[in-house]
Amino acid sequence: MQKPLHLGWFTNFTPGDWINPVSQGTGNWDGKFFVEMAQAMERACFDYIMLEDTLMVSEAYGGSAAATLKYALQVPKHDPLPLVSMIGAATSRLGVVATMSTLAYPPFMLARLASTLDHICGGRFGWNIVTSGEDIAAQNFGLEKLPPRETRYAMADEYVDLVQKLFGSWQPDAVVKDVATGTYADHTKVAPIHFEGQFFKCRGPLNTVRSPQGQPVFVQAGGSPRGRAFAARHADSIIAVGNGVEGMKAYRDDVRRHAVAAGRNPDDVKVLFLVYPILGETDAEAEARHQRMVNSPGFVEAALAAVGTVTDIDFSGFDLDQPLPRLTTNGEQGSLDKFAQWGSGKTLRQLAQERFDAGIPMIGSPDTVAERMGEAMDAIGGDGFLISTPFQRTSRRFVSEVCEGLVPALQRRGLARKAYTKTMLRDTLREF
């Protein structure tokens, strides 16, 4: 019998489904919508909620922020870290993963913040490791442009090595709380790290108590060959995109080979593929919803602008009814490759309309989509899916459709857990 799928949800602290009066999303910026969403996910026994983040107002599309702001594409976006504390306090088993860029945080500050959040969440915090892929983000931190991608990954490797040493600067038994001697922590078990690398230097130790998990869970998205090697070396869970079952299987197999080469057990690296299910009471209703979405005014422009925010490419100058020429980027090359479907002959308009198509039919009733998810994962070999919504327009209706419709359909097939057996996130990921 096939083992259950690991399930996560990819979202961010944005306005939600602001455009649809039938299913309004967040409504305001107090974070309560996301707390309620996380509680629904916990009832459905998801592994984790993943809070994506970026650090700029993109001007990639047309050389201005007009489309970005018009369609609320990644902007406005509030800082996910305070939201982590709110969700962690309101849940007890669900993992809470947040994005923090190696561009934005000095390593010591990131390690200290991550350790603090892991305590607040009771050992359920995860760090989504990103390097940031946009020059305009670099300019918000005093740089003219980002280093080349290969240099960014070399810096990120060193950065992660440094924060891991900081996480380990307190031994597991450093806190003794010996009332008789009046000793809270044993100074012989808390030590500086004296790290000095090519890019970073840090004395240490952390001034926070060791994390409940030893170190928070590491999550990463690696699309390019170098990115895959980085993710396989460090990540407990990988955010992946893929074109169809064959592409997803090839990606996962490649990541697992990289993990073995890095001396890791490949079963400790859980690959979750990003999907955008469109649900309805019937298959016909779901397909009608899909057609209304992709043919709605502004959808194509919004989709192209959205791709531009992560690839740092301006798609406004290309003919919508011609195939896209072969392109490279210093942004997210893996996202560009997935979007462009090189060699398919599809026009840019078709690519935009398929922007949220993972290559697996995810349009239908909960039972139909659950069946397809199970068949796909059986062919891929593991490990699960990250649920998301186009343009991050999450609504209460969609949360309910997934948590009270799709997940029960998966559970009836033995494809989703019905109860948590672990309390910490890394243990939940490694449960099966």
Side-chain angles (χ1 to χ4, degrees):
M1 182 177 179
Q2 183 180 328
K3 63 184 180 182
L5 310 178
H6 290 278
L7 294 175
W9 199 309
F10 186 94
T11 188
N12 49 34
F13 199 169
T14 50
D17 195 8
W18 59 274
I19 205 165
N20 188 342
V22 177
S23 56
Q24 285 294 314
T26 60
N28 53 43
W29 293 96
D30 60 12
K32 292 179 181 178
F33 166 82
F34 294 98
V35 170
E36 293 169 4
M37 174 181 172
Q39 290 172 328
M41 291 173 59
E42 186 166 76
R43 290 192 293 271
C45 298
F46 272 71
D47 289 62
Y48 62 78
I49 183 170
M50 216 300 292
L51 302 171
E52 179 270 345
D53 196 24
T54 51
L55 300 167
M56 77 321 182
V57 178
S58 177
E59 297 178 359
Y61 191 81
S64 85
T68 300
L69 292 168
K70 176 180 179 179
Y71 298 112
L73 302 173
Q74 307 279 4
V75 178
K77 179 185 292 184
H78 286 202
D79 193 308
L81 277 306
L83 188 57
V84 169
S85 293
M86 293 176 64
I87 292 173
T91 56
S92 62
R93 295 297 183 93
L94 178 73
V96 191
V97 179
T99 300
M100 291 186 282
S101 173
T102 58
L103 169 71
Y105 290 85
F108 184 91
M109 293 302 295
L110 185 141
R112 185 172 188 254
L113 178 57
S115 182
T116 299
L117 289 170
D118 201 32
H119 279 280
I120 288 173
C121 294
R124 294 178 289 122
F125 179 65
W127 169 32
N128 179 39
I129 307 167
V130 300
T131 63
S132 292
E134 311 88 11
D135 286 338
I136 199 169
Q139 291 161 18
N140 287 333
F141 294 89
L143 303 174
E144 186 60 31
K145 60 188 300 184
L146 290 171
R149 185 185 307 105
E150 290 301 312
T151 303
R152 295 205 308 273
Y153 274 119
M155 294 174 70
D157 270 322
E158 186 174 295
Y159 189 111
V160 174
D161 287 343
L162 168 51
V163 298
Q164 286 182 306
K165 287 181 170 59
L166 285 169
F167 288 134
S169 63
W170 286 60
Q171 294 181 26
D173 57 349
V175 175
V176 294
K177 291 193 283 190
D178 188 333
V179 177
T181 63
T183 303
Y184 185 84
D186 182 347
H187 75 282
T188 67
K189 297 180 179 181
V190 181
I193 63 171
H194 297 300
F195 185 97
E196 187 166 355
Q198 181 182 355
F199 305 103
F200 302 102
K201 184 177 180 179
C202 181
R203 180 186 186 278
L206 278 183
N207 60 345
T208 55
V209 171
R210 183 181 177 90
S211 291
Q213 298 181 96
Q215 66 182 35
V217 161
F218 288 172
V219 177
Q220 217 272 325
S224 67
R226 181 66 177 83
R228 296 181 190 192
F230 177 84
R233 179 185 173 195
H234 298 295
D236 298 287
S237 182
I238 293 177
I239 302 167
V241 294
N243 288 321
V245 170
E246 290 184 4
M248 292 177 178
K249 177 173 172 49
Y251 177 92
R252 181 174 181 269
D253 290 346
D254 188 45
V255 162
R256 289 171 65 83
R257 284 192 293 269
H258 280 297
V260 171
R264 299 186 64 195
N265 179 354
D267 291 338
D268 290 345
V269 184
K270 303 301 183 183
V271 180
L272 272 61
F273 292 96
L274 199 57
V275 291
Y276 302 84
I278 305 293
L279 300 169
E281 291 187 18
T282 65
D283 293 354
E285 180 184 327
E287 181 57 39
R289 280 190 187 181
H290 176 251
Q291 290 302 318
R292 286 196 301 270
M293 179 183 73
V294 299
N295 292 299
S296 61
F299 180 87
V300 168
E301 182 179 52
L304 294 177
V307 178
T309 65
V310 295
T311 62
D312 221 15
I313 288 177
D314 180 7
F315 293 99
S316 67
F318 296 99
D319 190 331
L320 286 175
D321 296 308
Q322 293 294 325
L324 191 66
R326 179 76 66 161
L327 300 169
T328 59
T329 178
N330 195 36
E332 294 185 13
Q333 184 68 45
S335 295
L336 174 61
D337 294 341
K338 193 273 178 185
F339 167 72
Q341 301 181 48
W342 306 118
S344 67
K346 293 178 180 178
T347 67
L348 184 56
R349 187 187 306 277
Q350 289 173 311
L351 294 177
Q353 290 180 324
E354 296 177 9
R355 166 70 176 87
F356 302 103
D357 179 4
I360 301 172
M362 290 284 181
I363 303 168
S365 68
D367 280 311
T368 295
V369 174
E371 193 71 24
R372 289 170 179 167
M373 290 173 76
E375 291 169 353
M377 199 50 58
D378 188 48
I380 295 164
D383 296 290
F385 293 104
L386 271 172
I387 305 296
S388 194
T389 52
F391 312 120
Q392 299 304 317
R393 291 175 182 166
T394 307
S395 68
R396 286 181 170 83
R397 181 174 72 181
F398 184 65
V399 171
S400 177
E401 287 173 340
V402 171
C403 294
E404 299 178 28
L406 178 58
V407 172
L410 290 166
Q411 290 171 336
R412 288 193 293 271
R413 291 163 172 77
L415 295 174
R417 68 165 65 86
K418 294 183 178 180
Y420 293 101
T421 63
K422 312 294 181 183
T423 58
M424 295 191 187
L425 177 53
R426 184 173 287 106
D427 295 331
T428 293
L429 286 168
R430 294 182 181 180
E431 180 185 2
F432 47 79

